[in-house]
């Protein structure tokens, strides 16, 4: 097998035609330095929350994402990065069975949650979504007061709670209390975009989940609001496991402990049409993904050569 040489590094070609890094210098740029600074805080003995084993998700017959195997550990922030359409959100939605709501969706393989099969018969998807909350790309507060937004989940799930204490506790955890404590009965729709997104986070944590999933939570926010959400994520990771989909490489490098790179590969369907399917390429500590990735496709993506 002949090595493929490039200016920046040496790679070795494998049977599938892709190149893997071999014996090159680690990446030295701002992203790598940010990731290295974050990496110093990554625990080495965290327990496994999600054990994803050979998972493929299909919409109809064709796989949207395939052959995913990875472990997500507790009280860490894990980023899913990759080009648009590679299946990041599809994979994220598998973790709290949101894809159950799509009739054509099917999940193959196994997703273990604290050792239990998340898709086993008898598992209540409503309880799954209480334990594994989600914050969506666009802030989606209900057309209710700030107070009622926070209390909505606990009321629906039948939790026993002290309303005033729970509202304050949840809003403080979302770093929003000081900004809204004097207008709790005002409409949530009157808040700024960044405040609305933090309210949605407060609403998610009010039901005392174990995991918070975030689907591009800062994509509609300005840099100041984005910074506030990133700071909040770091604070929340002391209590919760967080999995985030992001297109923002700086955000992944600054805020996340682990990073999975997913890309798209073109396959032909039964009719001979080209279809894009997502595939996990590399999963490691963020400092490794941004500073010394194993796969040249990862390096090409984070350096902006494609995607």
């Amino acid at each position: 097998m002949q090595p493929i040489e490039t200016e920046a590094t040496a790679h070795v070609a494998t049977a599938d035609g892709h190149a893997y890094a071999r014996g090159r210098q680690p990446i030295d740029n701002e992203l790598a330095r940010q990731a290295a600074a974050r990496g110093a805080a990554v625990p080495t003995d965290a327990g496994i929350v999600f054990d994803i084993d050979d998972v493929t998700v299909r919409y109809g017959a064709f796989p949207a994402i395939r052959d995913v195997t990875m472990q997500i550990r507790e009280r860490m922030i894990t980023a899913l990065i990759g080009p648009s359409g590679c299946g990041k959100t599809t994979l994220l939605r598998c973790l709290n069975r949101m894809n159950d709501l799509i009739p054509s969706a099917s999940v193959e393989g196994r997703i273990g949650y604290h050792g239990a099969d998340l898709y086993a018969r008898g598992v209540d998807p409503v309880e799954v979504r209480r334990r594994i909350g989600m914050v969506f790309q666009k802030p989606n507060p209900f057309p209710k007061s700030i107070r009622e937004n926070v209390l909505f989940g606990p009321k629906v799930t039948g939790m026993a709670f002290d309303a005033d204490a729970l509202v304050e506790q949840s809003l403080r955890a979302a770093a929003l209390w000081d900004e809204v404590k004097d207008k709790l009965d005002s409409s949530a729709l009157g808040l700024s975009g960044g405040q609305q997104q933090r309210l949605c986070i407060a609403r998610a944590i009010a039901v005392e989940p174990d995991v918070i999933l975030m689907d591009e939570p800062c994509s509609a926010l300005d840099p100041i609001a984005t910074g506030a959400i990133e700071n909040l994520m770091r604070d929340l990771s002391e209590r919760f496991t967080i999995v985030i989909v992001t297109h923002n490489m700086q955000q992944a490098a600054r805020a996340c402990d682990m990073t999975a790179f997913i890309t798209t590969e073109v396959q032909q369907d039964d009719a001979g049409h080209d279809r894009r399917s997502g595939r996990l390429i590399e999963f490691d500590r963020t400092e490794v993904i941004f500073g010394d990735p194993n796969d040249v496709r990862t390096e090409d993506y984070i350096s902006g050569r494609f995607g």
Side-chain angles (χ1 to χ4, degrees), residues 1 6 58 78 91 93 101 141-142 157 176 233 271 275:
M1 184 181 300
T6 70
R58 300 178 186 273
T78 298
L91 178 62
R93 290 168 61 94
L101 305 175
F142 300 139
T157 57
L176 189 58
M233 287 166 50
R275 298 284 298 273

Side-chain angles (χ1 to χ4, degrees), residues 106-210:
S106 61
V107 179
E108 303 167 8
R110 185 181 189 276
I111 300 178
Y113 172 65
H114 291 295
D117 186 348
L118 199 61
Y119 284 80
R121 288 182 180 275
V123 174
D124 181 2
V126 175
E127 177 61 18
V128 168
R129 293 173 201 136
R130 188 198 69 77
R131 297 190 185 195
I132 308 169
M134 179 171 278
V135 176
F136 295 93
Q137 182 174 1
K138 183 179 179 181
N140 60 343
F142 300 139
K144 301 173 179 288
S145 71
I146 295 168
R147 182 193 304 274
E148 286 302 311
N149 265 269
V150 175
L151 296 178
F152 182 84
K155 287 181 177 179
V156 168
T157 57
M159 287 176 55
F161 58 89
D162 178 314
D164 290 340
L166 183 58
V167 168
E168 180 175 351
Q169 173 187 324
S170 301
L171 291 172
R172 283 191 182 278
L176 189 58
W177 172 254
D178 289 339
E179 298 171 41
V180 301
K181 62 184 178 182
D182 296 325
K183 51 181 180 181
L184 296 177
D185 294 319
S186 299
S187 172
L189 301 180
L191 298 175
S192 70
Q195 288 174 325
Q196 287 185 4
Q197 194 66 300
R198 281 181 284 151
L199 177 61
C200 292
I201 293 172
R203 188 175 66 196
I205 63 181
V207 294
E208 300 177 0
D210 174 44

Side-chain angles (χ1 to χ4, degrees), residues 223-288:
I224 294 175
T226 295
I229 296 293
E230 290 178 8
N231 290 335
L232 174 58
M233 287 166 50
R234 285 190 282 268
D235 291 341
L236 291 175
S237 67
E238 296 179 5
R239 296 173 52 198
F240 307 103
T241 300
I242 298 175
V243 187
I244 178 174
V245 168
T246 181
H247 282 282
N248 187 327
M249 296 299 96
Q250 290 80 10
Q251 182 174 77
R254 284 192 302 259
C256 299
D257 303 301
M258 304 290 293
T259 297
F261 169 58
I262 302 168
T263 193
T264 54
E265 296 182 344
V266 177
Q267 294 182 311
Q268 285 193 339
D269 61 19
D270 293 339
H273 299 131
D274 287 345
R275 298 284 298 273
R276 292 185 177 274
S277 181
R279 185 178 179 189
L280 175 65
I281 300 301
E282 193 167 353
F283 176 56
D284 210 321
R285 299 190 316 279
T286 297
E287 62 179 315
V288 173

